[in-house]
Structure formats: structure tokens, C-alpha cells
Amino acid sequence: MKEFKFSIEGKSYEVSIEETGKNMATVDVNGKKYAVNIEKKEKPTFIAAAPRPATSAAAAAPVSKSVPGTVSSPLPGSIIKIMVSVGQAVKRGDTLLTMESMKMENNIQAERDGVVKAILVQQGQSVMQGDALVDLESVGEPEPEAAPAPKAAEKKAEAPKAAPAPKPAPKPAGAASVAAPLPGSIIKILVKAGAAVKRGDTVLTMESMKMENNIMAERDGVVKTIHVQPGQSVMQGDPLFDLE
């Protein structure tokens, strides 16, 4: 069993993950248990890279997550895919890499326009919360000072106002409700009520802790009711959709 502790906007979360089958796991968040489908992908065997030659004092020293332009890991996990290369220009919101954390695939995005100065991880590598992933440098302007306010608060201020939650329809007999594993906001809904889905199909995408998380069907069935809509904020345990 793996155990983690997180703090989101001043609220603490204790999370434990226990695999219960080949493609299933039980996630316990503050005492509430959720059955989570595991979408496993074949990963390359990680071979530790040889130490990089230190070309400067900055290259030799580990990068702190407080350094301006450094993109850090928001959670423990492993790197699945790297989308950019050194010297590549990126825009704010572009996906830099994909990592797996808490049995979910999360897209790590650029928080501003810039050029990839260094990639500090490689595919298959395990990282801890706060580990530096990518260094970005701005184009045509000096590196900005670290913002005094938490970036999470800035993100919250920029987010569009969530639409009022629709009233959940009565749950049909035999339907299982899938709930939000963490607080966040709905980005995209990929199916409609009445759609037939297979186990592992992505039903919707939500953003939580600056990461995109795919919420998948835990079994074959039919989507009976969708309780949320794009732009809506949800709390841990809020129902997302019913699957019959």
C-alpha cells in the first residue's frame, strides 16, 4: 500500500492506494474509498543516466522549485512521455510532458511562453513532489521574480466562473455512481447520456492541482446520467456520472 499526504488550499488530504487486482485499485482519500480502474501501459526499463558534466555552477547545483522558470512535479509519480526538446519554443498551456500519479495520467503544462532551457527528467523516471522537471526561460525579457502569492491562488482567480450545478437526476436501479477522487474543475465531457462505454474508456477530463486527469469507466455499461458540465467546480466525493 502506498500512502501520501497532500495540502490543497489549506486543506489536508491523506491518500492511500492499494492494488486489489490486475487492473483495479482502492484509493482511500480522508477515509472515503473509491474503486479506481488502472490503465497500465508498458513502460521502458529505467536505466540511470550517466552524471552530466557540470558546465556551470547553475548546472551542477540542484534546481529548487522556487527558482523562476522551473516547472516542478506537483505530486509523486513517474514520467510517461516527454513532448518537448531543449531549445523548443512553447506557449502558455502547451503540454511539456505526461506523468502518472495516483493511477491517473496527468499533463504537465507550461505556465508561460518561453523556450525549453533544460529537461531534467527522462521517460520512465520516478519523481517526488517538488522535483524539478523542466527549465523554461522567457524570450526577450529577464526572468521574472518569484511571485509572492501562491500560483494556485492565481490559477483560481483566472478560472472562469463555474456554472451552477444541475440537479442530479434520480439514479436508476442498478446504476453505479462515479465520484470525483479530488477537488477540481471539469474540462471536457467526452460522452453523452445513453452512450455505451467499455471498461477503461475516458468519460470526462477534470483539472486538479494543475493537472489534467482522465476519469474512466470502471466497467462496461451505459452512461445513464451526467451530473456535471464543462467549467463546473467539484469537490472530493461529488458525483460525476452514473454508469449502468
Side-chain angles (χ1 to χ4, degrees), residues 7-229:
S7 179
I8 306 172
E9 297 182 357
K11 186 174 181 180
S12 297
Y13 296 90
E14 295 187 359
V15 181
S16 62
I17 302 171
E18 181 179 8
E19 292 192 8
T20 57
K22 184 177 180 182
N23 292 308
M24 295 295 295
T26 298
V27 178
D28 187 314
V29 182
N30 284 359
K32 293 186 178 180
K33 294 186 177 181
Y34 304 92
V36 178
N37 180 65
I38 306 172
E39 184 180 8
K40 291 189 175 180
K41 296 184 179 180
E42 184 177 357
K43 299 179 181 178
T45 303
F46 170 62
I47 302 176
R52 299 179 183 175
T55 56
S56 66
V63 181
S64 168
K65 67 176 181 177
S66 63
V67 174
T70 299
V71 179
S72 302
S73 175
L75 289 171
S78 59
I79 306 302
I80 298 175
K81 190 174 183 181
I82 298 174
M83 312 292 192
V84 296
S85 56
V86 175
Q88 180 177 338
V90 296
K91 297 289 186 181
R92 178 179 180 181
D94 285 353
T95 298
L96 303 175
L97 55 86
T98 302
M99 65 179 289
E100 181 185 56
S101 178
M102 298 174 62
K103 307 300 180 183
M104 295 185 293
E105 290 187 6
N106 309 292
N107 294 328
I108 306 301
Q109 300 169 324
E111 298 178 358
R112 58 187 176 89
D113 298 352
V115 174
V116 178
K117 183 178 180 181
I119 298 173
L120 307 175
V121 292
Q122 56 185 319
Q123 190 169 317
Q125 180 177 339
S126 295
V127 295
M128 297 301 295
Q129 181 179 0
D131 284 356
L133 304 176
V134 177
D135 276 346
L136 286 180
E137 62 179 359
S138 57
V139 179
E141 62 181 43
E143 289 289 331
E145 294 292 333
K151 291 184 179 180
E154 296 174 3
K155 186 85 173 181
K156 183 177 180 181
E158 295 170 2
K161 185 177 180 181
K167 294 182 179 179
K171 188 184 299 183
S177 181
V178 177
L182 290 172
S185 60
I186 305 302
I187 298 175
K188 184 187 297 183
I189 298 175
L190 304 177
V191 299
K192 296 181 179 179
V197 295
K198 297 289 186 181
R199 178 181 178 180
D201 286 352
T202 300
V203 177
L204 57 85
T205 302
M206 65 178 288
E207 182 185 54
S208 179
M209 294 183 288
K210 295 187 179 181
M211 297 186 296
E212 292 185 6
N213 305 295
N214 294 327
I215 307 300
M216 298 176 288
E218 300 174 358
R219 56 184 173 87
D220 297 351
V222 175
V223 177
K224 299 300 295 183
T225 308
I226 298 175
H227 298 295
V228 292
Q229 55 186 329

